[in-house]
């Protein structure tokens, strides 16, 4: 059974910071590509940042220079450090894995349940 459990969301003022965490279980984490997506009300779910198994990263243009994605393979955890937050960053943030589940040979995609981030004064 694969689980992606996010934490770290909340309410923050514009210009503030938050760090999201996603702990994965049931997958071969070190060989997985991990990512963060977000979805605002009425909008589609969009890519925020991804990190490959080799720790290469890619970011949406709207968050470049403000957000940083990292991973700790020893803890099966991926992080999203969000600085200089803006009201338009308000959304539900979802953890994503492109991974192989324990006991299988096949790569598939998995999602967490999401964590709310609200940027407001």
């Amino acid at each position: 059974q694969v689980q992606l459990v996010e934490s770290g969301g909340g309410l923050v003022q514009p210009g503030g910071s938050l760090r999201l965490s996603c702990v994965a279980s049931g997958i071969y984490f070190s060989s997985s590509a991990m990512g963060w997506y977000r979805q605002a009300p009425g909008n589609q779910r969009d890519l925020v940042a991804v990190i490959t198994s080799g720790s290469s990263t890619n970011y949406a243009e709207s968050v470049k220079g403000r957000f940083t994605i990292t991973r700790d393979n020893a803890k099966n955890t991926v992080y999203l450090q969000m600085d200089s937050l803006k009201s338009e960053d308000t959304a539900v943030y979802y953890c994503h894995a492109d991974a192989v589940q324990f006991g299988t040979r096949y790569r598939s995609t998995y999602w967490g349940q999401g964590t709310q981030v609200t940027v407001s004064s």
Side-chain angles (χ1 to χ4, degrees):
Q1 180 181 356
V2 176
Q3 284 192 310
L4 302 177
V5 180
E6 302 105 332
S7 62
L11 173 65
V12 63
Q13 292 186 342
S17 298
L18 283 175
R19 188 176 82 154
L20 305 184
S21 300
C22 171
V23 180
S25 59
I27 59 173
Y28 297 101
F29 184 84
S30 62
S31 62
S32 302
M34 303 297 297
W36 290 95
Y37 287 70
R38 67 186 181 187
Q39 187 170 19
N43 290 358
Q44 64 182 19
R45 192 174 296 187
D46 292 324
L47 174 70
V48 175
V50 294
I51 185 166
T52 69
S53 58
S55 293
S56 296
T57 58
N58 194 25
Y59 297 91
E61 284 294 328
S62 60
V63 307
K64 280 183 179 179
R66 300 188 299 121
F67 290 11
T68 304
I69 187 170
T70 58
R71 64 190 297 157
D72 185 340
N73 289 340
K75 296 182 178 180
N76 285 5
T77 302
V78 61
Y79 303 98
L80 185 69
Q81 178 66 41
M82 305 186 294
D83 299 319
S84 303
L85 282 161
K86 305 175 181 179
S87 58
E88 50 262 45
D89 295 318
T90 296
V92 178
Y93 284 70
Y94 295 91
C95 182
H96 173 271
D98 177 28
V100 177
Q101 184 179 359
F102 286 160
T104 75
R105 299 182 179 181
Y106 305 106
R107 188 166 293 271
S108 187
T109 59
Y110 302 93
W111 293 94
Q113 291 299 305
T115 186
Q116 176 70 46
V117 171
T118 302
V119 185
S120 175
S121 56

